[in-house]
Amino acid sequence: MKADYRYNPFTDKAEPVIKSELVKVPEVSPYIVRLEEVPQKTAPSSMRVAEVVIDESGTHEGSIFTEVAAFPASGEFFPDYYTSAEGDSSWNTGQILFNESEAGKMLRINYYGMGSIIWASDTAKDTEWYRDYGNGDDGEFAPEADVTISGVKNYTSVFVPQGVTVTIDKWAAIHCQEGFVNNGIITASGKGGAGGGYHGGGSGSNAGYPGASCVFFAGGTGGSNGSAGGAGGAAKSVIQDENTDYEEIFANNLYDTLNAGGGGGGGAWYQYVAGSGGSGGGYIKIIALRVINNGTIEANGNNGSGSTSSSNGGGGGGGGGLIHIIASQYDNSGTLIANAGSGGWGGKNGGSGAAGKVFTKITG
Protein backbone atom coordinates (compact mmCIF):
# COMPACT_ATOMS: atom_id res chain seq x y z
CA MET A 1 0.00 0.00 0.00
CA LYS A 2 1.31 3.43 -0.90
CA ALA A 3 1.43 6.29 1.59
CA ASP A 4 1.38 9.97 0.70
CA TYR A 5 0.37 9.07 -2.84
CA ARG A 6 0.46 12.26 -4.89
CA TYR A 7 -2.78 12.41 -6.84
CA ASN A 8 -4.62 15.45 -8.19
CA PRO A 9 -8.38 14.65 -8.39
CA PHE A 10 -9.07 17.74 -10.50
CA THR A 11 -6.83 16.59 -13.33
CA ASP A 12 -7.23 12.87 -12.55
CA LYS A 13 -3.46 12.48 -12.71
CA ALA A 14 -0.68 11.39 -10.40
CA GLU A 15 1.76 14.17 -9.55
CA PRO A 16 5.24 12.82 -8.84
CA VAL A 17 8.08 14.88 -7.37
CA ILE A 18 11.71 14.88 -8.42
CA LYS A 19 13.86 12.90 -5.98
CA SER A 20 17.62 12.62 -5.67
CA GLU A 21 19.18 10.04 -3.37
CA LEU A 22 22.68 8.96 -2.48
CA VAL A 23 22.93 5.20 -1.89
CA LYS A 24 25.58 2.57 -1.39
CA VAL A 25 25.36 -0.85 -3.03
CA PRO A 26 25.72 -3.55 -0.34
CA GLU A 27 29.12 -5.21 -0.01
CA VAL A 28 27.51 -8.68 -0.05
CA SER A 29 24.60 -10.32 -1.88
CA PRO A 30 21.81 -9.46 -2.48
CA TYR A 31 23.06 -6.31 -4.21
CA ILE A 32 19.77 -4.47 -3.74
CA VAL A 33 19.09 -0.89 -2.65
CA ARG A 34 15.69 0.48 -1.68
CA LEU A 35 14.70 4.02 -2.55
CA GLU A 36 12.81 6.31 -0.18
CA GLU A 37 9.84 6.35 -2.55
CA VAL A 38 8.29 4.33 -5.35
CA PRO A 39 9.79 5.48 -8.68
CA GLN A 40 7.40 6.21 -11.53
CA LYS A 41 7.63 3.75 -14.41
CA THR A 42 7.90 5.62 -17.69
CA ALA A 43 9.24 5.01 -21.18
CA PRO A 44 11.87 6.22 -21.59
CA SER A 45 12.83 5.73 -17.96
CA SER A 46 12.75 8.67 -15.57
CA MET A 47 15.54 7.11 -13.50
CA ARG A 48 19.14 8.21 -13.77
CA VAL A 49 21.82 6.27 -11.91
CA ALA A 50 25.36 7.64 -11.77
CA GLU A 51 28.41 6.47 -9.84
CA VAL A 52 29.81 8.94 -7.30
CA VAL A 53 33.60 8.94 -7.30
CA ILE A 54 35.32 10.48 -4.28
CA ASP A 55 39.09 10.78 -4.36
CA GLU A 56 41.85 13.14 -3.27
CA SER A 57 40.84 15.69 -5.89
CA GLY A 58 37.23 15.91 -4.68
CA THR A 59 33.85 14.47 -5.67
CA HIS A 60 33.07 13.63 -9.29
CA GLU A 61 30.41 11.87 -11.32
CA GLY A 62 31.55 8.58 -12.77
CA SER A 63 29.88 6.14 -15.14
CA ILE A 64 26.15 6.31 -15.97
CA PHE A 65 24.22 3.06 -15.53
CA THR A 66 21.77 1.57 -18.03
CA GLU A 67 18.30 0.39 -17.02
CA VAL A 68 17.42 -3.17 -18.06
CA ALA A 69 14.40 -5.45 -17.68
CA ALA A 70 16.40 -8.54 -16.73
CA PHE A 71 19.19 -9.57 -14.39
CA PRO A 72 21.76 -6.75 -14.69
CA ALA A 73 25.28 -7.06 -16.02
CA SER A 74 28.08 -4.70 -14.99
CA GLY A 75 27.03 -1.07 -15.51
CA GLU A 76 23.29 -1.93 -15.50
CA PHE A 77 20.42 -1.76 -12.98
CA PHE A 78 17.16 -3.70 -12.74
CA PRO A 79 14.18 -1.93 -11.04
CA ASP A 80 11.60 -4.27 -9.52
CA TYR A 81 8.75 -2.66 -11.47
CA TYR A 82 9.64 -5.03 -14.31
CA THR A 83 8.45 -8.02 -12.27
CA SER A 84 4.73 -7.27 -12.86
CA ALA A 85 3.93 -8.63 -9.41
CA GLU A 86 0.27 -8.80 -8.38
CA GLY A 87 -0.55 -8.71 -12.07
CA ASP A 88 0.33 -5.01 -12.22
CA SER A 89 2.88 -3.99 -14.85
CA SER A 90 3.74 -0.84 -12.91
CA TRP A 91 3.97 -2.53 -9.49
CA ASN A 92 7.15 -1.75 -7.54
CA THR A 93 8.51 -1.09 -4.07
CA GLY A 94 11.49 1.03 -5.00
CA GLN A 95 14.01 -1.82 -4.92
CA ILE A 96 16.80 -1.86 -7.50
CA LEU A 97 19.09 -4.82 -8.21
CA PHE A 98 22.72 -4.36 -9.27
CA ASN A 99 25.41 -6.68 -10.51
CA GLU A 100 27.91 -8.05 -7.98
CA SER A 101 30.65 -6.01 -9.70
CA GLU A 102 29.05 -2.85 -8.26
CA ALA A 103 29.39 -4.00 -4.62
CA GLY A 104 30.34 -1.15 -2.30
CA LYS A 105 29.93 1.57 -4.93
CA MET A 106 28.30 4.91 -4.08
CA LEU A 107 25.57 5.99 -6.45
CA ARG A 108 23.42 9.06 -7.07
CA ILE A 109 19.88 8.10 -8.18
CA ASN A 110 17.49 10.70 -9.61
CA TYR A 111 13.87 9.72 -10.27
CA TYR A 112 10.23 10.77 -10.10
CA GLY A 113 8.88 9.75 -6.69
CA MET A 114 5.28 8.59 -6.35
CA GLY A 115 5.10 8.22 -2.55
CA SER A 116 6.42 5.80 0.06
CA ILE A 117 5.42 2.24 0.94
CA ILE A 118 3.77 1.76 4.35
CA TRP A 119 4.85 -1.83 4.91
CA ALA A 120 8.38 -1.08 3.75
CA SER A 121 8.89 1.92 6.02
CA ASP A 122 10.75 -0.08 8.68
CA THR A 123 13.35 -1.17 6.16
CA ALA A 124 13.61 2.12 4.35
CA LYS A 125 16.71 4.26 4.21
CA ASP A 126 18.66 4.35 7.47
CA THR A 127 17.83 7.56 9.32
CA GLU A 128 20.08 7.26 12.39
CA TRP A 129 21.68 10.57 13.30
CA TYR A 130 25.13 9.32 12.38
CA ARG A 131 23.96 8.82 8.79
CA ASP A 132 22.49 12.31 8.64
CA TYR A 133 24.37 13.65 5.63
CA GLY A 134 22.17 16.75 5.54
CA ASN A 135 19.96 18.22 2.84
CA GLY A 136 22.70 19.88 0.79
CA ASP A 137 21.10 23.33 1.08
CA ASP A 138 24.50 25.04 1.41
CA GLY A 139 25.70 23.52 -1.87
CA GLU A 140 29.30 22.67 -2.68
CA PHE A 141 31.99 24.00 -0.34
CA ALA A 142 35.28 24.48 -2.19
CA PRO A 143 37.01 27.60 -0.81
CA GLU A 144 39.87 29.04 -2.84
CA ALA A 145 41.09 31.32 -0.03
CA ASP A 146 41.11 31.30 3.79
CA VAL A 147 37.60 31.43 5.25
CA THR A 148 35.80 31.22 8.62
CA ILE A 149 32.63 29.19 9.18
CA SER A 150 30.50 28.17 12.17
CA GLY A 151 27.22 26.52 13.08
CA VAL A 152 25.35 23.77 11.24
CA LYS A 153 26.35 23.38 7.58
CA ASN A 154 24.63 21.23 4.95
CA TYR A 155 26.97 20.73 2.01
CA THR A 156 26.64 18.50 -1.04
CA SER A 157 30.43 18.05 -1.09
CA VAL A 158 33.50 19.57 0.55
CA PHE A 159 36.94 20.11 -0.97
CA VAL A 160 39.57 22.12 0.93
CA PRO A 161 42.66 22.48 -1.28
CA GLN A 162 46.24 22.60 -0.09
CA GLY A 163 47.24 26.04 1.15
CA VAL A 164 43.73 27.01 2.30
CA THR A 165 42.77 27.34 5.99
CA VAL A 166 39.17 26.94 7.17
CA THR A 167 38.75 28.41 10.66
CA ILE A 168 35.92 27.11 12.84
CA ASP A 169 34.51 29.87 15.07
CA LYS A 170 33.70 28.04 18.33
CA TRP A 171 31.93 25.06 16.71
CA ALA A 172 30.73 23.63 13.44
CA ALA A 173 28.58 20.59 12.65
CA ILE A 174 29.27 19.81 8.99
CA HIS A 175 26.86 17.48 7.20
CA CYS A 176 28.12 16.44 3.76
CA GLN A 177 26.07 14.34 1.36
CA GLU A 178 28.97 13.00 -0.68
CA GLY A 179 32.72 13.44 -0.32
CA PHE A 180 34.53 15.46 2.35
CA VAL A 181 38.12 15.94 1.17
CA ASN A 182 40.60 18.02 3.14
CA ASN A 183 44.04 18.74 1.73
CA GLY A 184 44.44 22.00 3.68
CA ILE A 185 43.91 23.05 7.30
CA ILE A 186 40.66 23.00 9.27
CA THR A 187 41.19 24.55 12.68
CA ALA A 188 39.19 25.31 15.82
CA SER A 189 42.31 25.86 17.93
CA GLY A 190 41.78 28.49 20.60
CA LYS A 191 38.12 28.89 19.61
CA GLY A 192 36.60 27.29 22.71
CA GLY A 193 36.07 28.74 26.19
CA ALA A 194 37.99 31.94 26.88
CA GLY A 195 40.98 31.95 29.18
CA GLY A 196 40.82 33.84 32.46
CA GLY A 197 42.62 37.15 32.84
CA TYR A 198 45.12 38.10 35.48
CA HIS A 199 44.00 40.06 38.51
CA GLY A 200 46.27 42.76 39.86
CA GLY A 201 46.39 44.06 43.38
CA GLY A 202 48.72 45.22 46.11
CA SER A 203 51.00 42.46 47.35
CA GLY A 204 49.34 40.02 44.98
CA SER A 205 46.31 39.85 47.21
CA ASN A 206 43.84 38.95 44.45
CA ALA A 207 43.41 35.62 42.68
CA GLY A 208 43.43 35.30 38.89
CA TYR A 209 40.11 35.12 37.10
CA PRO A 210 38.86 31.62 36.17
CA GLY A 211 38.63 30.41 32.60
CA ALA A 212 35.24 30.19 30.91
CA SER A 213 33.36 26.94 31.42
CA CYS A 214 30.77 25.13 29.32
CA VAL A 215 28.38 22.21 29.71
CA PHE A 216 30.87 19.40 29.09
CA PHE A 217 34.11 21.29 29.65
CA ALA A 218 35.01 23.01 32.90
CA GLY A 219 37.13 26.14 32.87
CA GLY A 220 40.29 26.26 34.93
CA THR A 221 40.31 28.06 38.26
CA GLY A 222 42.19 31.30 38.71
CA GLY A 223 45.59 31.22 40.30
CA SER A 224 45.71 31.56 44.07
CA ASN A 225 46.76 34.82 45.63
CA GLY A 226 50.06 35.32 47.34
CA SER A 227 53.11 37.48 47.27
CA ALA A 228 54.63 35.49 44.42
CA GLY A 229 51.46 35.57 42.35
CA GLY A 230 49.31 32.50 41.77
CA ALA A 231 49.77 30.08 38.90
CA GLY A 232 47.01 29.93 36.30
CA GLY A 233 44.67 26.98 36.73
CA ALA A 234 44.65 24.26 34.07
CA ALA A 235 41.60 24.05 31.85
CA LYS A 236 39.67 20.89 32.71
CA SER A 237 37.65 18.65 30.45
CA VAL A 238 35.37 15.68 31.08
CA ILE A 239 36.13 14.40 27.59
CA GLN A 240 38.90 12.36 29.18
CA ASP A 241 36.23 10.22 30.83
CA GLU A 242 36.04 7.12 28.64
CA ASN A 243 32.74 6.06 30.26
CA THR A 244 30.80 9.03 28.87
CA ASP A 245 28.28 8.14 26.14
CA TYR A 246 29.48 10.73 23.64
CA GLU A 247 27.31 9.50 20.80
CA GLU A 248 24.22 10.25 22.87
CA ILE A 249 25.60 13.68 23.74
CA PHE A 250 26.37 14.51 20.11
CA ALA A 251 22.97 13.27 18.97
CA ASN A 252 21.39 15.99 21.13
CA ASN A 253 23.07 18.65 18.96
CA LEU A 254 24.33 20.72 21.87
CA TYR A 255 27.02 22.16 19.65
CA ASP A 256 27.02 25.70 21.03
CA THR A 257 28.03 24.44 24.47
CA LEU A 258 30.72 22.01 23.35
CA ASN A 259 33.78 24.19 23.94
CA ALA A 260 36.87 23.48 25.97
CA GLY A 261 37.40 25.75 28.97
CA GLY A 262 40.32 28.19 29.13
CA GLY A 263 42.87 28.21 31.95
CA GLY A 264 42.68 30.65 34.84
CA GLY A 265 45.00 33.65 34.96
CA GLY A 266 47.72 34.00 37.59
CA GLY A 267 47.61 36.29 40.58
CA ALA A 268 49.53 39.58 40.37
CA TRP A 269 52.27 41.17 42.42
CA TYR A 270 51.94 44.89 43.00
CA GLN A 271 52.49 46.93 39.78
CA TYR A 272 53.50 43.90 37.75
CA VAL A 273 51.38 41.86 35.31
CA ALA A 274 50.64 38.16 35.70
CA GLY A 275 49.88 35.78 32.84
CA SER A 276 46.40 35.17 31.40
CA GLY A 277 44.89 31.77 30.69
CA GLY A 278 44.86 30.33 27.20
CA SER A 279 41.59 29.71 25.37
CA GLY A 280 40.40 26.16 24.84
CA GLY A 281 39.96 24.35 21.56
CA GLY A 282 36.58 24.37 19.81
CA TYR A 283 34.42 21.59 18.43
CA ILE A 284 34.45 20.11 14.91
CA LYS A 285 31.88 17.53 13.86
CA ILE A 286 31.90 16.01 10.36
CA ILE A 287 29.29 13.57 9.02
CA ALA A 288 29.88 12.55 5.42
CA LEU A 289 29.50 9.60 3.10
CA ARG A 290 33.26 9.46 2.72
CA VAL A 291 35.98 11.47 4.48
CA ILE A 292 39.50 11.78 3.06
CA ASN A 293 41.93 13.79 5.17
CA ASN A 294 45.35 14.49 3.73
CA GLY A 295 45.79 17.78 5.59
CA THR A 296 45.28 18.90 9.18
CA ILE A 297 42.14 18.99 11.31
CA GLU A 298 42.88 20.50 14.72
CA ALA A 299 41.19 21.79 17.87
CA ASN A 300 44.08 22.61 20.20
CA GLY A 301 44.01 24.67 23.36
CA ASN A 302 46.14 27.81 23.45
CA ASN A 303 49.10 28.23 25.77
CA GLY A 304 48.81 30.44 28.83
CA SER A 305 50.81 33.66 28.71
CA GLY A 306 53.81 34.30 30.91
CA SER A 307 54.14 37.04 33.47
CA THR A 308 56.31 40.14 33.15
CA SER A 309 58.22 39.24 36.27
CA SER A 310 59.34 36.21 38.22
CA SER A 311 57.28 37.63 41.08
CA ASN A 312 54.04 36.83 39.24
CA GLY A 313 52.14 33.72 38.20
CA GLY A 314 51.84 32.40 34.65
CA GLY A 315 48.51 31.77 32.95
CA GLY A 316 47.03 28.29 32.69
CA GLY A 317 46.90 26.46 29.37
CA GLY A 318 43.63 26.00 27.50
CA GLY A 319 42.02 22.60 27.32
CA GLY A 320 42.05 20.68 24.06
CA GLY A 321 38.81 20.66 22.08
CA LEU A 322 36.92 17.90 20.34
CA ILE A 323 36.94 16.45 16.82
CA HIS A 324 34.25 13.97 15.85
CA ILE A 325 34.24 12.31 12.40
CA ILE A 326 31.50 9.95 11.20
CA ALA A 327 31.72 8.42 7.73
CA SER A 328 30.76 5.37 5.73
CA GLN A 329 34.33 5.32 4.39
CA TYR A 330 37.25 7.04 6.10
CA ASP A 331 40.81 7.53 4.87
CA ASN A 332 43.28 9.50 6.95
CA SER A 333 46.88 10.13 5.97
CA GLY A 334 46.92 13.59 7.53
CA THR A 335 46.80 14.97 11.07
CA LEU A 336 43.95 14.93 13.61
CA ILE A 337 44.91 16.66 16.83
CA ALA A 338 43.26 18.21 19.90
CA ASN A 339 46.15 18.95 22.25
CA ALA A 340 46.03 21.01 25.40
CA GLY A 341 47.89 24.27 25.86
CA SER A 342 50.80 24.52 28.27
CA GLY A 343 51.02 26.89 31.22
CA GLY A 344 52.84 30.21 31.02
CA TRP A 345 56.09 31.07 32.78
CA GLY A 346 56.15 32.91 36.09
CA GLY A 347 57.24 32.80 39.68
CA LYS A 348 54.69 30.03 39.75
CA ASN A 349 54.21 28.53 36.32
CA GLY A 350 50.69 28.11 35.00
CA GLY A 351 49.20 24.65 34.89
CA SER A 352 48.79 22.82 31.58
CA GLY A 353 45.32 22.25 30.15
CA ALA A 354 43.60 18.90 29.87
CA ALA A 355 43.99 17.01 26.60
CA GLY A 356 41.17 17.09 24.09
CA LYS A 357 39.77 14.14 22.18
CA VAL A 358 39.41 12.82 18.64
CA PHE A 359 36.58 10.38 17.90
CA THR A 360 35.97 8.54 14.64
CA LYS A 361 32.99 6.33 13.78
CA ILE A 362 32.92 4.22 10.62
CA THR A 363 29.33 3.38 9.73
CA GLY A 364 30.19 0.97 6.91
Side-chain angles (χ1 to χ4, degrees), residues 7-210:
Y7 177 76
N8 187 332
F10 298 101
T11 61
D12 194 29
K13 293 181 180 179
E15 294 186 336
V17 297
I18 298 175
K19 296 283 293 182
S20 180
E21 293 185 40
L22 192 67
V23 301
K24 180 181 178 182
V25 180
E27 301 279 358
V28 297
S29 179
Y31 305 103
I32 294 174
V33 300
R34 185 192 295 277
L35 301 176
E36 292 178 341
E37 296 195 8
V38 171
Q40 184 184 46
K41 180 181 179 181
T42 60
S45 173
S46 68
M47 299 182 68
R48 183 180 188 273
V49 179
E51 182 180 3
V52 175
V53 179
I54 303 170
D55 56 29
E56 295 183 356
S57 61
T59 301
H60 322 278
E61 183 176 281
S63 58
I64 306 299
F65 286 66
T66 301
E67 181 175 324
V68 295
F71 192 89
S74 179
E76 298 177 340
F77 67 98
F78 175 39
D80 69 348
Y81 54 52
Y82 283 114
T83 63
S84 296
E86 306 295 326
D88 184 350
S89 62
S90 65
W91 178 96
N92 71 97
T93 65
Q95 293 185 95
I96 303 176
L97 176 65
F98 291 89
N99 186 271
E100 63 180 353
S101 62
E102 322 300 352
K105 287 185 177 180
M106 301 171 193
L107 308 174
R108 170 67 66 184
I109 303 180
N110 297 325
Y111 65 99
Y112 288 108
M114 301 297 295
S116 59
I117 301 292
I118 291 177
W119 60 263
S121 60
D122 290 341
T123 56
K125 188 176 180 180
D126 192 350
T127 56
E128 283 99 336
W129 69 270
Y130 51 80
R131 296 185 192 273
D132 180 9
Y133 303 133
N135 55 29
D137 281 353
D138 294 317
E140 178 185 279
F141 182 61
E144 298 179 353
D146 295 351
V147 65
T148 297
I149 65 172
S150 64
V152 178
K153 297 297 182 183
N154 287 281
Y155 297 123
T156 54
S157 64
V158 171
F159 180 71
V160 181
Q162 187 175 8
V164 170
T165 297
V166 177
T167 299
I168 305 299
D169 187 7
K170 297 188 183 302
W171 64 274
I174 302 172
H175 301 259
C176 179
Q177 292 184 324
E178 297 175 355
F180 185 105
V181 180
N182 175 48
N183 293 329
I185 298 174
I186 300 174
T187 178
S189 294
K191 296 299 183 179
Y198 67 88
H199 195 165
S203 300
S205 59
N206 297 308
Y209 292 108

Side-chain angles (χ1 to χ4, degrees), residues 304-316:
S305 64
S307 68
T308 60
S309 166
S310 60
S311 300
N312 300 276

Side-chain angles (χ1 to χ4, degrees), residues 178-336:
E178 297 175 355
F180 185 105
V181 180
N182 175 48
N183 293 329
I185 298 174
I186 300 174
T187 178
S189 294
K191 296 299 183 179
Y198 67 88
H199 195 165
S203 300
S205 59
N206 297 308
Y209 292 108
S213 61
C214 341
V215 172
F216 300 116
F217 301 85
T221 57
S224 60
N225 59 354
S227 59
K236 301 174 182 178
S237 170
V238 298
I239 59 175
Q240 295 183 102
D241 180 2
E242 298 296 340
N243 296 318
T244 301
D245 187 351
Y246 296 104
E247 290 188 7
E248 181 178 352
I249 291 173
F250 302 146
N252 291 329
N253 297 335
L254 298 174
Y255 307 126
D256 56 343
T257 57
L258 285 169
N259 301 317
W269 177 247
Y270 177 66
Q271 79 181 3
Y272 294 108
V273 177
S276 298
S279 296
Y283 174 53
I284 303 172
K285 177 179 178 180
I286 299 168
I287 304 180
L289 187 67
R290 183 179 184 185
V291 172
I292 299 176
N293 179 47
N294 298 316
T296 298
I297 302 177
E298 61 182 20
N300 300 320
N302 287 346
N303 296 334
S305 64
S307 68
T308 60
S309 166
S310 60
S311 300
N312 300 276
L322 181 61
I323 298 171
H324 198 206
I325 296 176
I326 310 101
S328 177
Q329 294 185 12
Y330 175 57
D331 303 283
N332 178 45
S333 60
T335 301
L336 297 175

